[in-house]
Amino acid sequence: MPKIIINGKEIEFEKGMTVLQACELADIEIPRFCYHEKLSIAGNCRMCLVEMEKSPKPIASCAMPAAEGMSIKTNTAYVEKARKGVMEFLLANHPLDCPVCDQGGECDLQDQSMYYGVDKSRFVENKRTVKEKYMGPLIKTQMTRCIHCTRCVRFATEVAGVPEIGAVGRGENMEITTYLEKAMESELSANVIDLCPVGALTSKPYAFEARPWELKKTESIDVMDAVGSNIRVDTYNWEVKRILPRLNNEINEEWISDKTRYSCDGLLKQRLDTPYIKKDNKLQKSSWDEAIDLIKNHINSTKPEEIAGHIGDMVNLENALAFKKLFKIFKSENLEFREKFFYINSSEKMNYLFNSSISGIDQSDLILLIGTNPRYEATMVNARIRKAFVRGTPIYSIGDPGNLTYDYKILGTKTDDLKNIFNNENDFSKKLLSSRKPIIIIGESAIELQNGKYIFEEVKKFLKNNNFISKDWNALNFLPQNSSTVGLIDLKILSEENEKSQNFFDKLKNNKFKILYLLGSDNLHIKKNKEFIIYQGSHGDRGAEIADVVLPSPAYTEQNGLYENLEGRVQECKKASYPAGEALEDWKIFNLIIKSIEKNKQLLNFDLIRKEVLNIIPNFSKINELPNFTDIKDQEVKTNFHSEEITIKHLDYYFSNSISRASKTMSECRQINLDQKKTGTDS
């Protein structure tokens, strides 16, 4: 490895590194504003100046490639003077409004000015002022504070794939703006707030809510989709004030979607804080004893086969297993989590995982999407695919997903087009077979079809026959939409996979169940007849509207629990706040019901349930790690082909669950999205 001398110390570095990166290897902190490791190099701010031997002037370490034998000094009086000069220029026009700036306490400019700033300015000219820019309901602008680092511009272009932010003017008159002053059309737009090193771009919903040092910070995970993005939940007293990303290069890098970040204000709205019982066709407040007693009477007077349960999209593994145990006491096996029937082969874990892994997308040399729109179904996966596209990976699709923020080629919209690929009757077949690490992503829209079984099993068979499924590389990927999907399949909470697999949905449609217990289930399409419906959840949403008994329970930020992301990675969601009012944790509610039905029955214990969950999960290795596959089954499933159109179902991105539907911010984002589609060129 090549070597570089930094402050008299010899450091080994990898070829292609910059001087700044080499300095970081030597544990030397270099101040910077424009440089960001996930973005292209700009070299605008000049704050990272260092002294290089034989150079007549200081060099920008972020833009200078490191070379063998270079001698760099970072701590000389010469370097310090240069940096202080740069800081003086940056502060020349910067307003002195730290007390009212939301960036205060976590501002890079504020921190670095403490070391490199001076107490007096030599500039006596009037400071420039810049008109505020409109960037949508999420981003609050104060562009007079802008130091022209262009991080936001590069992020919008390179990562988000919506080159809507740019610079107009030159020199001191340069302004960062959206060209037509409209909201950014990206589900990643608010990441520019984190990237901004000053207070030019701050959070509009969070404006003047709290100071960073007042907040309690809890490391957790996101449950808005199946990605399992690593997040930090910031709370003031019991109230969730904001959600920020945590660095995890394996999953979300250092980005999160706007829905992950801003749906948290929905945690305060439409909350269930006390039990309700329907009387005279109206939900009325009740006591826990009265609600539980009513449930007990209905359970005892109903046949087990007429009792059914449905688990929602954000339920953790412990509560799901506890629910299953409760139904064993009911002597009922009618449990489901799917909102609509789609084909799942649960005999082998790789059948319902994103086997290539999210970080594995970076290694791919060909990507095929089948019946999926990753932009809305898994935003962070889509960001990775775009990253691969920028690197040169070709993207193809069966079905038309619409605008994905990158170019792709549609190979067809029918199952016949897929069949031609399997039979090597398509030019694409040759490209697929000649690739080294292809990725095939199958969405729920594809396996919801009558042909769902054929699509999945034939894709798997094709990949297996051509050695694209092995321990070294697995090209077969299923993209679920909900955070609970993979874990609930592992816990076997779904109908039997046979010819009668739709019995649950048929019975539901035909109102064959007399009791329906909804656990956090708000997206199940049901036309109520005479069913006795129990709803247990955190929000007064669709499930509570049709319920006869409502049992309040915590949201995901208000209780501990494990979730399994689309890769099969088990992660812990930690309690950051407290449930509203009289709400009880889900497993505690189950205990109340168990105690009322069978007084001597052993009650549920959370710690024991967690241990049991971890023992049940196939191929489980460790928390936060990918599953450990020891062998791959040699299995072939018979299928029948039907000629069918592959249409990708529309996902109401900003209103996908009960929390986001309760969010004022998500409602504003949704409305703007709808308005832009009406007035723009998008169909």
Side-chain angles (χ1 to χ4, degrees):
M1 288 179 74
K3 295 178 181 177
I4 188 172
I5 299 168
I6 301 173
N7 296 339
K9 187 179 176 183
E10 200 172 63
I11 302 293
E12 287 186 345
F13 66 94
E14 292 180 16
K15 195 175 179 181
M17 279 187 167
T18 63
V19 171
L20 188 149
Q21 291 170 322
C23 289
E24 287 180 338
L25 292 177
D27 292 327
I28 296 169
E29 187 176 347
I30 304 293
R32 83 291 299 263
F33 292 116
C34 69
Y35 174 80
H36 192 279
E37 61 182 8
K38 301 294 182 185
L39 304 175
S40 61
I41 293 168
N44 304 356
C45 72
R46 321 307 286 183
M47 197 65 204
C48 63
L49 294 174
V50 296
E51 188 178 349
M52 184 174 73
E53 194 176 66
K54 297 180 182 178
S55 175
K57 58 183 181 180
I59 62 164
S61 59
C62 72
M64 177 63 73
E68 176 75 46
M70 261 188 183
S71 180
I72 301 295
K73 293 178 181 176
T74 68
N75 56 2
T76 63
Y78 179 59
V79 169
E80 188 170 330
K81 185 182 177 184
R83 290 175 182 172
K84 283 186 174 181
V86 170
M87 180 59 71
E88 192 174 5
F89 273 112
L90 291 176
L91 295 176
N93 282 307
H94 198 80
L96 301 175
D97 62 349
C98 294
V100 295
C101 179
D102 262 328
Q103 196 83 347
E106 33 192 25
C107 175
D108 292 348
L109 183 66
Q110 194 178 57
D111 293 342
Q112 292 181 35
S113 67
M114 293 297 290
Y115 189 83
Y116 296 106
V118 292
D119 60 343
K120 292 180 182 178
S121 175
R122 290 180 289 171
F123 292 87
V124 294
E125 292 84 0
N126 292 330
K127 293 189 177 219
R128 66 165 188 160
T129 57
V130 182
K131 185 183 173 184
E132 305 315 317
K133 312 296 181 184
Y134 176 75
M135 292 190 183
L138 307 180
I139 305 166
K140 184 174 183 281
T141 63
Q142 192 80 37
M143 302 313 290
T144 303
R145 300 170 185 160
C146 181
I147 61 169
H148 304 157
C149 71
T150 69
R151 280 186 179 183
C152 55
V153 178
R154 285 173 283 149
F155 174 84
T157 305
E158 298 164 15
V159 180
V162 286
E164 296 171 342
I165 300 179
V168 294
R170 298 188 67 178
E172 191 180 58
N173 297 318
M174 178 177 163
E175 295 181 17
I176 303 295
T177 179
T178 53
Y179 294 111
L180 300 175
E181 291 212 21
K182 64 173 187 173
M184 282 181 68
E185 292 185 42
S186 171
E187 296 70 42
L188 298 170
S189 64
N191 286 289
V192 299
I193 296 166
D194 298 334
L195 286 170
C196 185
V198 297
L201 304 177
T202 54
S203 174
K204 193 177 282 186
Y206 175 69
F208 310 121
E209 287 287 323
R211 287 297 195 181
W213 54 84
E214 297 175 319
L215 301 172
K216 176 193 168 190
K217 302 167 179 62
T218 307
E219 294 186 350
S220 189
I221 60 156
D222 171 51
V223 301
M224 294 292 128
D225 56 30
V227 175
S229 298
N230 286 221
I231 60 172
R232 194 187 82 197
V233 182
D234 289 359
T235 54
Y236 184 79
N237 293 329
W238 62 272
E239 188 178 326
V240 176
K241 286 294 185 182
R242 63 178 183 178
I243 288 175
L244 298 176
R246 283 192 294 131
L247 176 66
N248 189 321
N249 285 320
E250 297 295 309
I251 302 174
N252 58 302
E253 297 186 291
E254 50 190 283
W255 325 120
I256 53 173
S257 70
D258 292 346
K259 183 165 65 173
T260 297
R261 187 188 297 267
Y262 284 120
S263 59
C264 62
D265 67 333
L267 294 167
L268 302 172
K269 310 291 184 184
Q270 296 180 235
R271 291 302 303 269
L272 299 173
D273 56 359
T274 189
Y276 288 86
I277 290 176
K278 187 167 281 183
K279 296 176 182 176
D280 301 325
N281 213 30
K282 258 186 175 182
L283 284 172
Q284 298 180 18
K285 287 186 179 182
S286 166
S287 66
W288 276 105
D289 290 340
E290 188 182 2
I292 298 298
D293 199 51
L294 182 61
I295 292 169
K296 178 194 76 172
N297 293 337
H298 275 83
I299 294 291
N300 288 339
S301 60
T302 307
K303 295 176 182 176
E305 61 270 20
E306 294 176 329
I307 303 172
H310 191 270
I311 298 182
D313 55 330
M314 296 184 291
V315 176
N316 63 46
L317 295 177
E318 293 94 339
N319 288 330
L321 183 60
F323 194 58
K324 189 175 181 180
K325 288 178 176 292
L326 178 67
F327 265 67
K328 279 187 179 178
I329 294 169
F330 296 166
K331 298 177 182 174
S332 171
E333 295 181 356
N334 298 315
L335 279 175
E336 253 298 347
F337 74 89
R338 290 170 287 191
E339 293 154 10
K340 186 180 177 182
F341 178 80
F342 57 80
Y343 174 75
I344 287 288
N345 182 349
S346 60
S347 63
E348 189 177 6
K349 185 156 184 168
M350 62 170 267
N351 292 338
Y352 49 91
L353 290 187
F354 199 92
N355 295 290
S356 303
S357 78
I358 297 171
S359 60
I361 296 171
D362 296 343
Q363 306 171 40
S364 65
D365 55 0
L366 184 146
I367 298 173
L368 173 62
L369 309 174
I370 303 174
T372 181
N373 181 337
R375 179 174 179 180
Y376 298 127
E377 294 170 14
T379 305
M380 299 319 304
V381 170
N382 196 62
R384 286 278 189 165
I385 296 173
R386 173 170 170 78
K387 189 178 174 183
F389 166 77
V390 171
R391 198 186 63 248
T393 302
I395 318 292
Y396 301 89
S397 177
I398 300 288
D400 185 3
N403 183 5
L404 295 178
T405 70
Y406 45 81
D407 295 333
Y408 60 91
K409 185 178 179 181
I410 298 176
L411 301 175
T413 59
K414 299 188 74 173
T415 50
D416 303 76
D417 301 305
L418 205 54
K419 189 179 181 182
N420 292 337
I421 295 172
F422 302 148
N423 296 334
N424 295 323
E425 297 171 3
N426 191 305
D427 292 338
F428 174 75
S429 303
K430 296 176 184 176
K431 293 178 183 177
L432 180 56
L433 293 172
S434 63
S435 62
R436 286 186 312 106
K437 291 185 174 181
I439 286 179
I440 313 294
I441 302 175
I442 304 171
E444 288 185 16
S445 293
I447 54 177
E448 279 181 5
L449 300 171
Q450 186 186 359
N451 248 6
K453 185 176 183 179
Y454 171 84
I455 292 172
F456 180 84
E457 295 297 344
E458 289 301 313
V459 168
K460 183 181 177 182
K461 183 181 174 182
F462 179 85
L463 293 174
K464 203 162 190 178
N465 290 342
N466 292 286
N467 299 315
F468 289 131
I469 294 178
S470 65
K471 291 180 182 177
D472 298 323
W473 183 258
N474 193 331
L476 180 67
N477 297 284
F478 167 57
L479 187 65
Q481 295 179 8
N482 297 332
S483 61
S484 58
T485 298
V486 173
L488 296 180
I489 298 172
D490 275 346
L491 298 179
K492 303 294 182 188
I493 299 178
L494 73 167
S495 312
E496 292 287 327
E497 300 293 341
N498 53 40
E499 293 178 359
K500 298 180 180 179
S501 60
Q502 292 196 54
N503 263 357
F504 179 92
F505 296 94
D506 288 338
K507 286 182 179 179
L508 190 67
K509 187 180 177 181
N510 297 318
N511 303 103
K512 297 293 184 183
F513 297 124
K514 288 187 177 179
I515 295 178
L516 184 60
Y517 199 145
L518 304 176
L519 179 62
S521 177
D522 290 288
N523 294 331
L524 185 66
H525 298 287
I526 176 175
K527 192 173 180 181
K528 186 179 178 181
N529 189 10
K530 294 181 180 178
E531 300 94 340
F532 179 77
I533 297 179
I534 307 161
Y535 176 77
Q536 183 172 319
S538 60
H539 283 71
D541 200 67
R542 296 167 182 171
E545 284 175 7
I546 59 171
D548 296 286
V549 178
V550 175
L551 306 175
S553 65
Y556 76 101
T557 57
E558 298 160 1
Q559 58 183 331
N560 295 315
L562 299 175
Y563 289 84
E564 204 172 351
N565 81 338
L566 50 80
E567 306 166 292
R569 200 188 296 265
V570 178
Q571 299 174 288
E572 187 176 6
C573 185
K574 293 183 179 176
K575 184 176 180 176
S577 184
Y578 301 96
E582 298 177 34
L584 295 174
E585 291 182 39
D586 291 295
W587 66 276
K588 290 181 179 178
I589 297 173
F590 302 150
N591 274 342
L592 293 177
I593 297 171
I594 294 168
K595 196 187 286 185
S596 70
I597 294 173
E598 296 186 29
K599 290 184 179 179
N600 298 321
K601 191 75 179 176
Q602 188 177 353
L603 298 178
L604 302 171
N605 178 284
F606 183 83
D607 294 329
L608 293 177
I609 293 171
R610 174 169 286 193
K611 285 180 182 177
E612 191 174 344
V613 163
L614 295 176
N615 288 330
I616 291 173
I617 294 174
N619 307 98
F620 173 71
S621 49
K622 289 180 181 177
I623 297 288
N624 298 323
E625 291 188 9
L626 290 170
N628 180 29
F629 286 99
T630 52
D631 62 315
I632 296 171
K633 295 178 183 177
D634 190 16
Q635 180 194 49
E636 194 166 316
V637 179
K638 292 181 180 179
T639 60
N640 296 316
F641 174 77
H642 306 275
S643 183
E644 197 174 0
E645 194 78 20
I646 299 176
T647 53
I648 299 168
K649 69 176 183 180
H650 171 71
L651 180 69
D652 196 346
Y653 176 76
Y654 293 108
F655 270 20
S656 61
N657 55 59
S658 59
I659 296 173
S660 63
R661 284 192 288 270
S663 167
K664 181 186 174 186
T665 308
M666 291 296 98
S667 180
E668 289 174 3
C669 290
R670 183 174 183 260
Q671 190 56 51
I672 283 173
N673 187 261
L674 291 171
D675 290 343
Q676 286 177 340
K677 283 187 176 181
K678 285 177 186 175
T679 57
T681 57
D682 293 345
S683 57

